[in-house]
Amino acid sequence: MDTPKRRTLQTLAGLGALAVLPRAWAQVKAVDLRDTPVSRSYDLSVAETTLNVTGKPAQGITINGTMPGPVLRFREGDEVVIRVTNKLREITGIHWHGLLVPNDQDGVPGVTYPGILPGETFTYRFKLRQSGTYWYHSHAALQEAAGYFAPLIVEPAKPDPFQYDRDYVVVISDWIDTPPQQVLANLKKVDGYYNYRRVTTPQFFAQLRSAPDAKARDALWAERMEWAKMRMDPTDYSDGGDEWSFLLQGKRPGENWTGLFKPGERVRLRFVNASPMNLYDVRIPGLPMTVVQADGQNVNPVEVDEFRIGNGETYDVIVQPKEAKAYTIFVPTIARIGYARGTLAPEVGMSAPVPELGPKPVRTMADMGMAGMDMGGGGMAGMDMGKPAATAPGAAGHAGMAMPAPARPADAMAGMPGMAGMAAKPADPHAGMAGMGGMAAMGAAPPKPEPDVDGLRRLKYAHLRALTRNADDRAPEKEVLVRLTGDMARYFWGINDKKLSQAEPLEMGLGQRVRIKFVNETMMEHPMHLHGVFMELVNGNGVYAPRKHTIIVPPAQTVELDATFEDEGMWAFHCHLFYHAATGMMRLVKVA
């Protein structure tokens, strides 16, 4: 029997009901976006194409023959028309990520409309209510993971509050020749299928043999057992592995995408994370970056050396290279399994040194909210692992294990977490940014980034402050708890211990002020994306809370946000690691 929920599962979950088609490839030139004409109408064609990213042919899905697809460029206030022709052999649909559009234009097959059938052309038509850097991608099956995505720029009706001389879009993505459908099957078939960084059993026993004393051996054994109970691995930073290529503007590191500048010019870089699989840390050695927009929304300018960008997020930065030399745009994955790379230079063909990736990160029990637990002697003796901790009622984690930390928001003013282990793993800039009730009421200025132990100033969510006051300053009328749950060993993910097919929609009223509380009970970061509305991140900035469409929720952390829907309908709400969404970390939100 055909039902909306069944169609939703088929088109969004990608669990085998629909075939995942081949993918596509094209070179993307370094183009100053100011030379790109603004248009109100576009014709897009989605088709299968043979590509060569890694040195051998593979299949891909392209938009107008390219991957990434073409930049769409509009102006705030425009009534736009976008005609999309489906040349695939399955249903497709384009979602306008971050754009506030009527529900029937949001582009989620089986949820907001039936989707675009093979051979059909669908016309999207909506008025642009905002400006900034956004992107668009498929929301059917696992098509996005095949390269079906592209950037979208909306020029403001009034000039931006910052100046720049050049303007480049920088799309970050990842690629594997294996079709996404098979990647998902592999992940579900073998625990950590692509995780070559994990400690094997022989390696573990070698560690035990080399331990200096019995207490150290007991500690190693106890920690190994606790990770096993949680069905996690301390190296589970990414679902991907060495087979992946990491692309910047569609180019591999050796192809060296280059953006040109003249010394002294201010260059605007519009970063978009279009990866289905990886989060990244972005820096340009020798060039400080001034963050001016987050998810298309203006923020108080903040100068940093590095920022983390989650799947679906966008950040606009201004840099001003004053010397006539090359600068590397260095974009390693947070798992340090590889990197994307480009160059800013006064001439094509120039390059700068590429930094070392550094050691691959390893999580600790402290990262999972287990700080202070005795891991030696009798192991976990005396700790009741069968019930939730008093600080987190109902927050049961993997395999029934209590997760004490998630329900307590950390101090957003604290230093970077895990400083003691800084040499072993990249810092998490988004851990510990909630729980600033007193400062939120005052709307105090955000803290300025301070250098970490390695000298880099890293952006944290606590540093983001909206440039203009938010329209809705009411206190929340309703709270919605969103527990992020899952099992890495069996590779299924959920919200509140349920996957999409098992859950009823969350309900929010039109115009109702809602507090959404994310509690991450898993070992991985989850970039959560809510369609149809901007979420105002509770980060201590009160009515100047930054407005975001995608928010990273770190492991063992609580992140809170407020939202007020202005458009009714059924909206998608999911992790933007699309393989997580495909296996259940997704909900529908009914706004009426």
Side-chain angles (χ1 to χ4, degrees):
M1 180 169 141
D2 188 32
T3 66
K5 178 174 280 190
R6 181 178 180 83
R7 291 195 301 272
T8 298
L9 293 175
Q10 290 176 332
T11 55
L12 276 161
L15 297 176
L18 293 177
V20 177
L21 297 180
R23 315 302 169 212
W25 168 264
Q27 298 290 342
V28 180
K29 296 179 180 178
V31 176
D32 186 339
L33 289 185
R34 295 174 309 157
D35 298 330
T36 307
V38 172
S39 177
R40 295 182 180 178
S41 176
Y42 286 94
D43 290 282
L44 303 179
S45 178
V46 180
E48 301 178 47
T49 310
T50 302
L51 63 90
N52 188 329
V53 176
T54 64
K56 61 181 181 180
Q59 290 299 112
I61 296 178
T62 60
I63 308 172
N64 287 7
T66 68
M67 190 273 294
V71 178
L72 303 189
R73 196 169 174 86
F74 304 107
R75 192 173 304 281
E76 183 181 6
D78 281 353
E79 182 86 26
V80 304
V81 175
I82 307 169
R83 293 171 288 270
V84 180
T85 299
N86 181 9
K87 296 184 178 180
L88 305 176
R89 292 171 290 172
E90 63 182 9
I91 288 175
T92 195
I94 291 180
H95 166 58
W96 315 102
H97 188 112
L99 291 189
L100 299 176
V101 299
N103 184 260
D104 62 359
Q105 301 296 298
D106 193 51
V108 182
V111 177
T112 65
Y113 75 148
I116 310 172
L117 294 174
E120 289 189 345
T121 296
F122 181 85
T123 300
Y124 292 91
R125 186 187 301 270
F126 48 83
K127 187 172 183 178
L128 293 167
R129 302 182 241 167
Q130 66 208 89
S131 62
T133 301
Y134 303 96
W135 64 300
Y136 61 102
H137 60 84
S138 172
H139 223 296
L142 289 169
Q143 293 171 359
E144 184 214 317
Y148 183 170
F149 53 81
L152 186 154
I153 309 301
V154 183
E155 295 291 345
K158 298 179 180 179
D160 279 314
F162 46 85
Q163 295 181 324
Y164 54 95
D165 304 299
R166 292 188 187 242
D167 187 356
Y168 294 111
V169 65
V170 185
V171 177
I172 310 163
S173 60
D174 57 41
W175 175 265
I176 184 172
D177 286 342
T178 306
Q181 187 181 40
Q182 185 60 51
V183 170
L184 181 58
N186 292 341
L187 289 168
K188 293 185 70 64
K189 179 170 53 181
V190 177
D191 178 16
Y193 186 91
Y194 296 104
N195 186 358
Y196 307 126
R197 306 172 302 285
R198 62 196 320 176
V199 175
T200 64
T201 299
Q203 289 171 333
F204 173 64
F205 281 110
Q207 290 176 351
L208 289 177
R209 287 193 298 271
S210 63
D213 52 40
K215 185 175 181 179
R217 284 193 296 274
D218 284 347
L220 282 170
W221 181 265
E223 184 164 10
R224 178 87 171 192
M225 293 304 101
E226 289 316 309
W227 284 111
K229 286 181 184 178
M230 292 187 288
R231 295 183 179 174
M232 309 177 194
D233 188 276
T235 58
D236 283 333
Y237 273 78
S238 171
D239 299 325
D242 297 341
E243 294 93 335
W244 267 261
S245 298
F246 304 101
L247 312 178
L248 195 149
Q249 280 302 88
K251 294 180 180 290
R252 298 179 72 186
E255 296 176 284
N256 193 23
W257 175 88
T258 301
L260 300 178
F261 68 85
K262 294 179 181 178
E265 286 185 325
R266 293 157 297 191
V267 182
R268 179 178 187 170
L269 301 173
R270 302 173 184 261
F271 286 96
V272 178
N273 184 354
S275 288
M277 183 71 85
N278 288 278
L279 292 79
Y280 299 88
D281 294 322
V282 179
R283 60 186 166 107
I284 308 175
L287 270 187
M289 299 177 287
T290 301
V291 178
V292 293
Q293 283 189 356
D295 287 357
Q297 302 296 290
N298 291 329
V299 296
N300 279 2
V302 53
E303 187 177 279
V304 298
D305 301 307
E306 182 178 284
F307 64 88
R308 178 160 294 178
I309 185 167
N311 311 62
E313 287 189 302
T314 71
Y315 280 100
D316 287 44
V317 307
I318 304 290
V319 297
Q320 190 171 18
K322 296 181 180 180
E323 298 182 61
K325 67 176 188 179
Y327 298 86
T328 295
I329 303 173
F330 185 56
V331 189
T333 71
I334 68 166
R336 299 303 189 257
I337 57 176
Y339 62 89
R341 170 249 186 163
T343 297
L344 292 176
E347 297 178 15
V348 174
M350 297 179 69
S351 63
V354 178
E356 295 292 327
L357 270 176
K360 291 181 170 59
V362 178
R363 298 202 195 277
T364 66
M365 282 291 125
D367 296 324
M368 298 308 301
M370 302 299 172
M373 296 194 325
D374 182 9
M375 300 302 292
M380 306 300 288
M383 180 170 183
D384 183 358
M385 303 302 291
K387 62 182 180 181
T391 55
H398 298 266
M401 179 174 178
M403 301 296 290
R408 56 145 178 82
D411 183 358
M413 301 296 290
M416 298 299 293
M419 296 296 272
M422 191 66 137
K425 64 184 178 184
D428 181 354
H430 300 323
M433 42 60 62
M436 297 183 62
M439 292 195 72
M442 296 184 293
K448 292 183 178 180
E450 296 292 339
D452 289 330
V453 293
D454 59 359
L456 296 180
R457 297 167 299 168
R458 290 181 169 87
L459 182 72
K460 295 192 288 187
Y461 277 165
H463 300 136
L464 295 177
R465 179 181 173 90
L467 197 59
T468 57
R469 184 186 180 98
N470 292 322
D472 192 345
D473 59 1
R474 296 175 298 160
E477 308 165 48
K478 177 180 181 178
E479 181 173 288
V480 175
L481 176 64
V482 179
R483 293 171 43 243
L484 306 180
T485 55
D487 187 326
M488 188 69 172
R490 290 181 288 173
Y491 205 81
F492 65 79
W493 304 93
I495 291 177
N496 296 340
D497 292 318
K498 294 182 179 180
K499 56 186 179 180
L500 175 63
S501 60
Q502 300 168 329
E504 294 299 318
L506 301 172
E507 294 190 2
M508 302 181 191
L510 187 65
Q512 183 181 38
R513 190 68 167 161
V514 178
R515 168 68 55 86
I516 301 175
K517 179 182 285 189
F518 289 110
V519 178
N520 187 352
E521 300 177 8
T522 80
M523 83 305 294
M524 294 186 73
E525 288 80 2
H526 297 288
M528 299 301 296
H529 174 46
L530 177 56
H531 292 217
V533 71
F534 274 97
M535 302 177 282
E536 295 161 21
L537 183 63
V538 179
N539 73 340
N541 286 310
V543 294
Y544 291 92
R547 297 179 288 273
K548 298 190 92 274
H549 51 61
T550 308
I551 292 175
I552 300 173
V553 186
Q557 291 287 328
T558 290
V559 176
E560 297 180 344
L561 57 96
D562 295 332
T564 306
F565 271 95
E566 298 179 3
D567 295 278
E568 62 183 353
M570 194 74 78
W571 300 96
F573 185 22
H574 59 92
C575 177
H576 225 280
L577 291 163
F578 247 77
Y579 293 94
H580 292 189
T583 56
M585 191 170 276
M586 179 171 173
R587 277 291 181 277
L588 300 182
V589 175
K590 182 179 180 181
V591 178

